[in-house]
Amino acid sequence: MGFLKKLLIGKVSEDFKPKYNPIERRILNIKSIWNNDHQDDNGIEKIFRLFLSISQLLFPGIYVKTLAGKIGYAYKDLAMDIYILLKVAFPMVILVNDWQNKPYLKLFWSILF
């Protein structure tokens, strides 16, 4: 187990603590877009930027990052790598096993990823 931990996590200094967790950063980003803190935009451009920022709260990646970050900073990166590999592997498993017409898999894929 020590070999895997050293391989995947490495030597990490746990002294570094981010100021905000990923969800708080998203919310601060939404507020800054709303208040035009970084860019003076209006109309469709502002609506589109707000939509893109809010939509990130709807997907599980940010929550995976937040939960893994509570364990440790290095685990956050590892958890996101595993999450991305699962996002790539799941459609390939569906294609290889010819499960394209299974409605419950489509629903699962739509909700989870």
Side-chain angles (χ1 to χ4, degrees):
M1 192 64 167
F3 171 76
L4 276 178
K5 185 173 181 179
K6 189 170 186 176
L7 177 68
L8 297 174
I9 304 298
K11 184 178 179 183
V12 177
S13 172
E14 291 294 331
D15 297 337
F16 176 73
K17 293 286 182 189
K19 201 173 195 180
Y20 302 104
N21 71 32
I23 297 172
E24 289 174 342
R25 289 185 59 139
R26 284 292 109 221
I27 292 171
L28 287 174
N29 188 27
I30 292 168
K31 287 179 182 177
S32 71
I33 292 171
W34 184 258
N35 295 325
N36 290 335
D37 291 339
H38 303 292
Q39 186 172 353
D40 290 329
D41 57 354
N42 54 18
I44 292 176
E45 182 181 358
K46 185 173 186 174
I47 292 169
F48 190 68
R49 289 182 65 214
L50 280 168
F51 170 74
L52 289 176
S53 188
I54 291 170
S55 67
Q56 291 178 354
L57 293 173
L58 301 176
F59 295 102
I62 195 164
Y63 302 106
V64 169
K65 189 184 282 189
T66 303
L67 290 174
K70 290 182 179 186
I71 297 170
Y73 186 73
Y75 290 96
K76 179 173 75 169
D77 292 337
L78 184 61
M80 287 307 296
D81 290 343
I82 292 170
Y83 176 72
I84 291 168
L85 287 174
L86 287 174
K87 283 179 69 168
V88 172
F90 190 70
M92 289 185 185
V93 168
I94 290 174
L95 289 174
V96 167
N97 293 315
D98 199 29
W99 293 340
Q100 294 93 333
N101 297 323
K102 307 278 187 197
Y104 58 89
L105 284 176
K106 289 180 184 178
L107 181 65
F108 176 75
W109 179 253
S110 310
I111 292 172
L112 190 59
F113 300 106

